[in-house]
Amino acid sequence: MQGESKTQINMVVDLVMEILGDESIDSESTMGSVDAWDSFAYIAIIAKISEFFAIEVTADDLGSFSSIKSINQFVSDALQ
């Protein structure tokens, strides 16, 4: 992937993969499909996404972190 910039969803996948320590994470992964994606990991994902993309996560946003797709949508909306 040298010379190519990563897409936002690929960055989200990489961040979640790093937190969960699971290289099988992909754009279709959800909290229900990954054993390591428990409540502690959920909080770690929120913190990492918030820090990496420099976006604020409010109490209303807390339900947005149960799948790669929903996280990516949250990031897209927050960055607009």
Side-chain angles (χ1 to χ4, degrees), residues 11-73:
M11 288 185 272
V12 169
V13 167
D14 287 350
L15 291 170
V16 173
M17 189 183 305
E18 177 185 323
I19 291 164
L20 300 180
D22 185 340
E23 293 189 13
S24 69
I25 302 298
D26 62 23
S27 63
E28 299 298 317
S29 295
T30 67
M31 190 174 184
S33 69
V34 180
D35 289 339
W37 198 331
D38 59 15
S39 57
F40 294 111
Y42 195 91
I43 299 301
I45 290 167
I46 292 169
K48 187 70 163 185
I49 294 293
S50 175
E51 177 185 357
F52 184 85
F53 289 103
I55 52 180
E56 183 177 337
V57 179
T58 67
D60 291 340
D61 302 322
L62 294 179
S64 301
F65 293 85
S66 60
S67 72
I68 297 295
K69 287 182 179 178
S70 65
I71 295 169
N72 189 59
Q73 186 62 55

